Amino acid sequence: MPTVELIALPDFPLVAPGMDLPELVAGELARHGISLRQGDVVALAQKIVSKAEGRFVDLATVAPSSEALRIAAEAGKDARIVEVILRESNRVVRIRPNLLIVEHRQGFVMANAGIDQSNIGGAPDRVLLLPQDADASAEALRAHLSARFGVDIGVVVNDSFGRAWRRGVCGVAIGAAGLPALIDKRGDFDLFGRELKVTVIGFADEIAAAASLVMGQADEGRPVVILRGLSWPSGTGKAVDIVRSPEEDLFR
């Protein structure tokens, strides 16, 4: 029977700007007696990727625009945070008290452009942005770790998203490398020989959600998870492949 193993690295060190994240991950694997195997997937919490890349903004340096001031008044948010959200976004989708739903510049529709102040430490007026290019971050990590361990692996950078029409947050992939982000099952057949017409699996998102179960969302300190035992068809993709195009968006 196929099984999938999830291995979380406990007590992961706090990450600071400029740290060599692939080497840090490799060192922690060694500390726990783990070596990457062919076909493993390394899932990393977005926050440690962003921290290593120095994606911090000091709100004391932010001058809100007139648009940020207008939206901040409507949403009841800090105008400086709103300004940073606008800089990271293509458009504002909805405004609610203390919440902006925006289209991030990487295409994701999400709350507050992924900007966060939890689990980042330091000054209280500091915020953390998403990686500049999460797919590129995933590929850099994949290339380094694959070369270091001499095996082909996949990498997923995950973040916690809310979902339209559903409560609660769930892990989703904002960066992916070394594996298909989507698996197209159209043209395959079900148990009864019926041809599948619309089934496309969000493979990278499923990996991200599974990893989130053991990463946790608060003070667990487990931002890196190894998924072992997965298989996938040939080909690779990026997390941006998951983003629905405007032409396919029924609600835009």
Side-chain angles (χ1 to χ4, degrees):
M1 179 181 295
T3 61
V4 176
E5 185 179 6
L6 279 73
I7 307 165
L9 299 185
D11 304 318
F12 199 84
L14 294 177
V15 177
M19 280 186 172
D20 187 332
L21 187 57
E23 277 301 305
L24 183 60
V25 172
E28 287 302 296
L29 286 166
R31 182 165 74 93
H32 294 289
I34 301 169
S35 181
L36 292 181
R37 301 177 187 174
Q38 183 76 14
D40 280 353
V41 178
V42 180
L44 304 99
Q46 162 267 319
K47 230 157 240 181
I48 64 169
V49 178
S50 292
K51 287 178 177 180
E53 295 179 1
R55 297 285 290 159
F56 291 101
V57 173
D58 182 354
L59 294 179
T61 68
V62 176
S65 63
S66 58
E67 179 70 357
L69 290 168
R70 181 189 68 78
I71 292 174
E74 182 177 350
K77 290 182 70 68
D78 186 325
R80 301 170 301 172
I81 293 178
V82 173
E83 176 62 28
V84 179
I85 292 171
L86 294 179
R87 293 177 187 176
E88 286 289 289
S89 304
N90 292 329
R91 65 188 177 102
V92 176
V93 178
R94 289 289 186 273
I95 302 172
R96 293 290 184 269
N98 201 36
L99 175 66
L100 272 65
I101 303 297
V102 300
E103 180 188 298
H104 188 271
R105 55 179 176 73
Q106 295 182 62
F108 313 119
V109 175
M110 61 193 310
N112 301 323
I115 291 165
D116 203 354
Q117 290 180 289
S118 67
N119 275 332
I120 66 173
D125 278 352
R126 188 166 70 158
V127 297
L128 186 67
L129 314 184
L130 296 188
Q132 181 67 31
D133 181 339
D135 280 322
S137 301
E139 172 56 28
L141 284 154
R142 184 208 64 78
H144 187 107
L145 291 172
S146 289
R148 174 71 178 268
F149 289 91
V151 292
D152 292 325
I153 65 165
V155 169
V156 168
V157 178
N158 81 337
D159 196 8
S160 299
F161 275 35
R163 286 86 40 78
W165 304 294
R166 300 180 76 86
R167 292 177 175 169
V169 296
C170 182
V172 303
I174 64 167
L179 47 78
L182 299 168
I183 296 179
D184 191 345
K185 303 295 286 186
R186 292 173 294 183
D188 290 356
F189 296 89
D190 70 9
L191 288 172
F192 302 97
R194 184 180 180 87
E195 184 177 355
L196 302 178
K197 301 290 188 181
V198 298
T199 304
V200 179
I201 298 170
F203 187 55
D205 277 347
E206 291 191 330
I207 290 170
S212 289
L213 290 174
V214 293
M215 279 184 184
Q217 299 284 345
D219 62 354
E220 293 84 358
R222 298 189 296 265
V224 177
V225 173
I226 313 304
L227 293 92
R228 180 164 291 165
L230 291 171
S231 61
W232 54 83
S234 61
T236 61
K238 301 179 178 180
V240 73
D241 298 339
I242 303 169
V243 176
R244 194 179 296 277
S245 69
E247 294 76 23
E248 296 178 314
D249 190 342
L250 300 179
F251 300 94
R252 186 174 298 240

